[in-house]
Amino acid sequence: MYYRLCSGEEQYMENLEKKKEAFAELLEIIETLRTKCPWDRKQTMESLRGLSIEEVYELGDAILAGDMAEVKKELGDLLMHIVFYAQIGQEQQSFDIADVLHGICEKLKYRHPHIYGEAEVKNAEEVLQNWEQLKLKEKGRKHKVLEGVPVSLPALVKAYRIQDKARGVGFDWKEKEEVWNKVKEELDEFETEVCQADPEKMEAEFGDLLFSMINAARLYGINPENALEKTNRKFIQRFGYVEEQAKAKGKKMQGMTLEEMEQLWEEAKRQS
């Protein structure tokens, strides 16, 4: 038993050392590229920003596809960007990668008092509530709950984060089933404005309806962004099947009846 414990500890330390060496190599490569490569030397935080956002979306695609090889690759790309930003910060004498790592380590310890302190929690919900309360405490009394939601987030993701943060301070439905009355109310209001044909009011009510549906998704543990993206992909796959079958029959979709296309659509559904 003692031998196995020691052996396990040795293996752990070996793996840890390999991780440190790999990370140190990346730091060295980025520093070298900033010195010797004209393109890398030219980059600024602003010029990298758009590329970093693209990398995050590519990682998201790989995760949804369940492609672990691609996830590994995209994580590498994203990590490279993080180190790149830290290198620029170091050159500007603002911060370096050690400051970044120490900062996140301290934040994680502070926001997990049930692990690194004396606090007790019963479940994941209480962990999240503590997280939001500690976050507000960090930023002072003048900080507003929703200020932490990035302005540039896509609207659907932003709505989810807004609702999640509000929930973190207790502003939420007592019972999740109550949300359906709100959804129905917003749908009725939207239908009323559709009948009135006022574009601005229709848009406003449709926004309220979407917001309430996102809220419902959150309450039932569904990530609305992931759910919608999966539906997008499913539609693309089925629509592609309809196109392929139409071409195989020597037809163009523009010349097909809706009934013909729906028949092919049902075939696509049965195959997926």
Side-chain angles (χ1 to χ4, degrees), residues 82-131:
I82 292 168
V83 172
F84 208 143
Y85 286 118
Q87 176 63 31
I88 295 172
Q90 178 178 307
E91 292 164 9
Q92 296 175 347
Q93 298 185 332
S94 300
F95 61 88
D96 63 16
I97 193 66
D99 296 321
V100 174
L101 295 171
H102 288 317
I104 189 59
C105 287
E106 287 304 310
K107 179 193 287 187
L108 289 171
K109 289 176 184 177
Y110 176 73
R111 294 193 189 172
H112 289 82
H114 54 290
I115 303 295
Y116 297 99
E118 302 299 322
E120 294 184 4
V121 293
K122 297 175 183 176
N123 50 43
E125 184 66 22
E126 289 189 7
V127 172
L128 286 174
Q129 287 177 354
N130 281 350
W131 180 281

Side-chain angles (χ1 to χ4, degrees), residues 24 33 42 48 75 77 80 89 105 109 137 170 181 217 219-220 224 247 251 253 257 268:
L33 293 177
K42 182 181 177 182
L48 288 173
L75 282 172
D77 290 344
M80 182 272 289
C105 287
K109 289 176 184 177
K137 187 177 177 182
N181 289 331
L219 287 165
Y220 282 87
K247 186 177 180 180
K251 297 181 178 181
M253 289 187 67
T257 65

Side-chain angles (χ1 to χ4, degrees), residues 164-207:
D164 198 43
K165 282 189 171 291
R167 177 202 50 77
V169 293
F171 189 76
D172 204 0
W173 301 98
K174 289 183 180 179
E175 301 294 336
K176 62 185 179 182
E177 292 79 11
E178 294 172 351
V179 74
W180 295 115
N181 289 331
K182 185 62 176 175
V183 171
K184 291 170 185 175
E185 175 190 322
E186 297 297 352
L187 179 58
D188 288 342
E189 290 177 1
F190 173 62
E191 288 179 337
T192 297
E193 295 305 333
V194 168
C195 292
Q196 298 298 322
D198 184 321
E200 286 188 12
K201 290 183 179 179
M202 285 167 56
E203 181 183 63
E205 293 301 339
F206 187 68

Side-chain angles (χ1 to χ4, degrees), residues 64 125 128 156-161 163-164 167 172 176 179-180 183 210-231 234:
L64 284 179
E125 184 66 22
L128 286 174
L156 191 151
V157 179
K158 187 189 292 186
Y160 184 88
R161 292 296 294 133
Q163 295 165 3
D164 198 43
R167 177 202 50 77
D172 204 0
K176 62 185 179 182
V179 74
W180 295 115
V183 171
L210 282 177
F211 195 84
S212 66
M213 286 297 298
I214 291 166
N215 213 358
R218 176 185 60 81
L219 287 165
Y220 282 87
I222 298 167
N223 183 304
E225 171 69 20
N226 291 348
L228 183 57
E229 178 56 20
K230 287 176 181 177
T231 294
K234 181 168 59 179

Side-chain angles (χ1 to χ4, degrees), residues 23 26-28 30-31 34 40 44-45 48-49 51-53 55-56 59 73-91 95-102 104:
F23 191 60
L26 177 59
L27 294 177
E28 184 180 349
I30 294 299
E31 189 169 351
R34 282 289 286 179
D40 289 279
T44 64
M45 289 191 182
L48 288 173
R49 178 180 176 273
L51 297 174
S52 300
I53 292 170
E55 293 297 348
V56 172
L59 173 60
K73 172 183 170 295
E74 296 303 340
L75 282 172
D77 290 344
L78 193 54
L79 183 56
M80 182 272 289
H81 277 249
I82 292 168
V83 172
F84 208 143
Y85 286 118
Q87 176 63 31
I88 295 172
Q90 178 178 307
E91 292 164 9
F95 61 88
D96 63 16
I97 193 66
D99 296 321
V100 174
L101 295 171
H102 288 317
I104 189 59

